[in-house]
C-alpha cells in the first residue's frame, strides 16, 4: 500500500491529512501557523512536523499504520501560505525534507491557493477566490498557466477580506463619531462587543491592545449580521468588499487564456459561505458581467486539495473520480467520529 | 524677566523653544519621538527633557540664560501627540512636572493639534488641517468648543495623509502588476526608488523589511511629482486624498457653532505645502462647497503655538500682536543663524 500526506499550512493553523492510495483518510492532525514569511522557516517546519506527527499518530491508533509503514511509500504534498515564489518553495522543500522522519516517494511544495484550487475543482482548471482573514484569487487555464491577483497582505491588499471588512466597520463607527459618517447600527453592536463606552476607546485597543488582525477580521461576522438586518452602512461595506472580490476574479479572468462559457470559479474561506450577503453580491455581479463563469462552493475542503494532488505522484489504480468520491465519503465519516 | 518653554512633541521628533516674555526666541532644541501612546510615558518624558535641555543650553551659550534663571519664572506649554483625552494629559503633566529641573510658574499640556491651531490662527478660533505622516482636522469656535475629526492612526484612519498616499501608490503598482489597475508611471518610479526589479518584491519590503510607516509616507512626494507630470493614477490618488482631507474639515465645520463667513482654516504638515496639487485640490473643493472658509497657510510654524499659548500664563505687558511679531522676527533670525 502507498500513502499520501497532505498538508495545508496557513497564517493561523496547519492541517495534515494522511490518506491511503484509494483516498481513504487514515488520520488528521493540526498544528500552529506555518507561513514562513511571517514566522520564519524553523517555526514553520516545526508546525508542519507537529501536524504530520498528529495525523500519523491517529492513523497508528485506529488503523495500525505507523511511520515505519510510510518509509519509502508516502507522497507528501504541502500547500503553504507564503510559498509564492519558486525560491520560497525550494527553501521550504529543503527544510521539510530535512525534518521528515521517513524518506518520501516525493515531496511537492505549492502555495496554498493552488492547493485550494485543486480541492475546489477536483484538480481541474478554473479559478479559486479565497476570502478569509486575507483575500486572493488564483486561476489555472487549460494550458496550465497560473495567474493570481491579490494576496498582498493587510497593509498592501487583502481587499474584500475579513480584515478589510472588520477594519471598515471600526472606521465606520469612528466616522459616525467624528461627524464624517452616517449613523450605523454597527456603533452599538461593536462598542458593546468590545466592551467600550465610547467609540474613541477602540483606538488604544487596536494600537496597544488585544485587537490584532485576526480579531479585527472576526468583526466581519457582525457586519454580515447588521447588513442582513438592513443597516445601510453595513450593506455598503459588504457591497464594497464584494466589488473588490469580483475585481480579483476579473483580473484573473482577463489574464487567463479562456474565452468559452463554463469557467468554474469557487468561493471559499471563512467569510465566503454560500448564500450569505457577500456570496450573493458576488454571484449577482458575476452573473451580470461575467456570465461565462460558474460560481459555486468548492468540491472538497481546501485541506483535501493536497491529498488529491498527492494521488498524481503515486502509481495507483484508483482513478481520480473514485479517489475524490472516497475522500468525500471518508472526510464525512472522520468528521462525525 | 519671565520665560516660556514651548514644546511640540510628535510621533517622530520633539521640538522645544525657549522664549522670553516679549516673544524673543533664546534657544531651540530637538529630541526624539514623544507620543507616549506608542513609546510609553518614560521615553516620552526623556525625549521632552532632552529637547528642553538643548534649548536651555543654546540660550545659555548665546544669551546667558540658564536653568537657574528659569526657577520660578518659566511657563511651560507642551503640545503633544497622543495627549487626546483629559486622563492622557493629566498623566503627562505629572510625568513632566517630576522631570522638570525647575519649578515652573505653570505647566499646560495640550494635544498637538490644539497647539498647531494656536500657531496657525495666532491663538484665535478657527480650524487646522494637519496632513503629514498622519491626518487630523481640529477646530475651536468662538464659544471655545473644541471639535476634532480624524487622527485615528494608520490602521483606523489617517485618510489623506502621507502614509495613505504612499500606501495607495504601492497598491496602485501591485494592481497594475496583477491586472486590477491601470498602467501608471508610479510603477517605474517606485520600483526604481525601492531598487526592486519586480513589483511583487515590494511585498517582503513592507512586511519584513525597511519599508515602515514613515518610509511609506515619504513615497507621497513621488506621487505628487507624477501627478504634476500628468500620470492619471497619481492624479486620482491625490484627488482622493484631497477629498478625504476636505471631509475632515467638513466634519469639523458641521459640528462647530459658526455660520457666518470668514472662518480661518489653515493647512499644515509635511504634505500640505501651499500650491502643491494636494493643496490646490483642497482649496478648490472648499471654495466650491464651503465658501465661508478662508483656507491659508498657518501664521506661525506649529512649534511656536506652544510659546504663544505660554504668553497667556505670564503677566506680561507685551500684547499678543506684538508678541507674535517678535516671534516671527526672531524665528527668522534664528533660522538664518
Amino acid at each position: 500500500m502507498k500513502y499520501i500526506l497532505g498538508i495545508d499550512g496557513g497564517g493561523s493553523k496547519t492541517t495534515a491529512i494522511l490518506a491511503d492510495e484509494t483516498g481513504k483518510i487514515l488520520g488528521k492532525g493540526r498544528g500552529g501557523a506555518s507561513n514562513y514569511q511571517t514566522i520564519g522557516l524553523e517555526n514553520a517546519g516545526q508546525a508542519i512536523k507537529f501536524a504530520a506527527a498528529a495525523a500519523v499518530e491517529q492513523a497508528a491508533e485506529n488503523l495500525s499504520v505507523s511511520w515505519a509503514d510510510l518509509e519509502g511509500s508516502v507522497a507528501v504534498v504541502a500547500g503553504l501560505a507564503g510559498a509564492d515564489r519558486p525560491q520560497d518553495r525550494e527553501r521550504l522543500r529543503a527544510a521539510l525534507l530535512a525534518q521528515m522522519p521517513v524518506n518520501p516517494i516525493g515531496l511537492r511544495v505549492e502555495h496554498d491557493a493552488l492547493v485550494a484550487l485543486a480541492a475546489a475543482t477536483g484538480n481541474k482548471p478554473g479559478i479559486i477566490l479565497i476570502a478569509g482573514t486575507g483575500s486572493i484569487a488564483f486561476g489555472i487555464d487549460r494550458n496550465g498557466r497560473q495567474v493570481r491577483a491579490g494576496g498582498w497582505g493587510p497593509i498592501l491588499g487583502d481587499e474584500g477580506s475579513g480584515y478589510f471588512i472588520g477594519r471598515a466597520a471600526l472606521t465606520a463607527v469612528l466616522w459616525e463619531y467624528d461627524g464624517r459618517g452616517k449613523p450605523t447600527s454597527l456603533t452599538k453592536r461593536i462598542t458593546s462587543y468590545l466592551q467600550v463606552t465610547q467609540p474613541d476607546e477602540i483606538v488604544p485597543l487596536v494600537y496597544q491592545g488585544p485587537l490584532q488582525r485576526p480579531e479585527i477580521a472576526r468583526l466581519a461576522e457582525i457586519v454580515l449580521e447588521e447588513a442582513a438586518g438592513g443597516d445601510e452602512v453595513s450593506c455598503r461595506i459588504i457591497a464594497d468588499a464584494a466589488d473588490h472580490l469580483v475585481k480579483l476574479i476579473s483580473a484573473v479572468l482577463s489574464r487567463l487564456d479562456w474565452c468559452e462559457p463554463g469557467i468554474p470559479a469557487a468561493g471559499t474561506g471563512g467569510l465566503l459561505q454560500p448564500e450569505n450577503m457577500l456570496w450573493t453580491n458576488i454571484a449577482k455581479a458575476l452573473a451580470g458581467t461575467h456570465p461565462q463563469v460558474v460560481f459555486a462552493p468548492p468540491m472538497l475542503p481546501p485541506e483535501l486539495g493536497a491529498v488529491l494532488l498527492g494521488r498524481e505522484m503515486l502509481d495507483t489504480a484508483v482513478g481520480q473520480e473514485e479517489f475524490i468520491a472516497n475522500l468525500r465519503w471518508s472526510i464525512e465519516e472522520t468528521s462525525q467520529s
Side-chain angles (χ1 to χ4, degrees), chain A:
Chain A
M1 185 64 106
K2 298 256 186 303
Y3 302 93
I4 301 163
L5 181 60
I7 293 151
D8 181 47
S12 57
K13 67 170 199 294
T14 301
T15 317
I17 289 182
L18 183 66
D20 68 18
E21 66 187 39
T22 71
K24 182 172 196 278
I25 294 169
L26 310 177
K28 296 197 286 189
R30 277 180 71 144
S34 58
N35 183 334
Y36 101 104
Q37 305 279 6
T38 49
I39 63 167
L41 205 53
E42 197 178 337
N43 290 331
Q46 290 291 338
I48 292 167
K49 197 175 164 183
F50 187 85
V56 173
E57 204 172 301
Q58 200 185 68
E61 269 178 34
N62 301 332
L63 297 140
S64 308
V65 173
S66 69
W67 282 114
D69 301 306
L70 302 182
E71 181 61 45
S73 61
V74 63
V76 182
V77 177
L80 304 175
D84 294 319
R85 297 170 306 167
Q87 57 265 47
D88 295 324
R89 292 192 283 275
E90 201 38 62
R91 290 186 71 188
L92 283 160
R93 229 185 90 81
L96 291 190
L97 269 179
Q99 295 230 358
M100 203 61 65
V102 294
N103 294 307
I105 297 173
L107 168 61
R108 181 172 169 190
V109 174
E110 296 288 355
H111 61 82
D112 53 343
L114 184 141
V115 168
L117 175 61
T121 59
N123 201 19
K124 292 204 168 67
I127 298 174
I128 183 97
L129 172 69
I130 308 177
T133 305
S135 67
I136 190 171
F138 177 79
I140 300 184
D141 62 21
R142 267 89 45 85
N143 305 321
R145 208 159 66 92
Q146 304 184 4
V147 167
R148 75 176 251 179
W152 306 121
I155 299 175
L156 298 171
D158 281 353
E159 297 91 351
S161 68
Y163 177 68
F164 175 94
I165 292 174
R167 196 179 47 181
L170 295 174
T171 301
V173 170
L174 288 167
W175 280 46
E176 181 187 354
Y177 178 71
D178 75 11
R180 279 181 288 169
K182 289 190 181 172
T184 166
S185 62
L186 287 171
T187 295
K188 207 178 154 200
R189 281 295 307 276
I190 286 182
T191 51
S192 151
Y193 178 81
L194 298 177
Q195 300 183 290
V196 297
T197 52
Q198 287 223 112
D200 61 350
E201 292 166 33
I202 293 169
V203 181
L205 292 183
V206 168
Y207 294 108
Q208 301 163 36
L211 220 54
Q212 304 284 315
R213 188 175 164 232
E215 289 75 37
I216 292 175
R218 234 169 274 143
L219 299 174
E221 284 303 325
I222 294 179
V223 183
L224 281 167
E225 284 170 31
E226 293 307 296
D231 178 58
E232 197 189 323
V233 169
S234 300
C235 286
R236 186 192 47 70
I237 294 173
I238 298 298
D240 190 29
D243 278 352
H244 276 292
L245 296 174
V246 169
K247 228 174 239 164
L248 287 172
I249 293 181
S250 296
V252 168
L253 270 175
S254 71
R255 286 161 60 212
L256 287 180
D257 182 19
W258 200 337
C259 293
E260 72 282 14
I263 303 177
T268 189
L271 204 61
L272 217 45
Q273 301 297 331
E275 301 315 321
N276 73 10
M277 191 184 281
L278 189 63
W279 182 283
T280 52
N281 271 339
I282 293 168
K284 196 188 277 182
L286 286 175
T289 58
H290 301 286
Q292 75 274 38
V293 167
V294 181
F295 188 58
M299 188 180 283
L300 295 172
E303 60 266 32
L304 294 188
V307 178
L308 184 55
L309 290 176
R311 194 198 69 95
E312 295 182 337
M313 297 164 72
L314 300 181
D315 183 25
T316 171
V318 181
Q320 187 161 273
E321 298 306 311
E322 190 187 345
F323 190 87
I324 291 174
N326 287 344
L327 278 180
R328 294 181 92 153
W329 164 81
S330 72
I331 194 79
E332 271 174 37
E333 193 173 57
T334 55
S335 301
Q336 281 156 8
S337 68

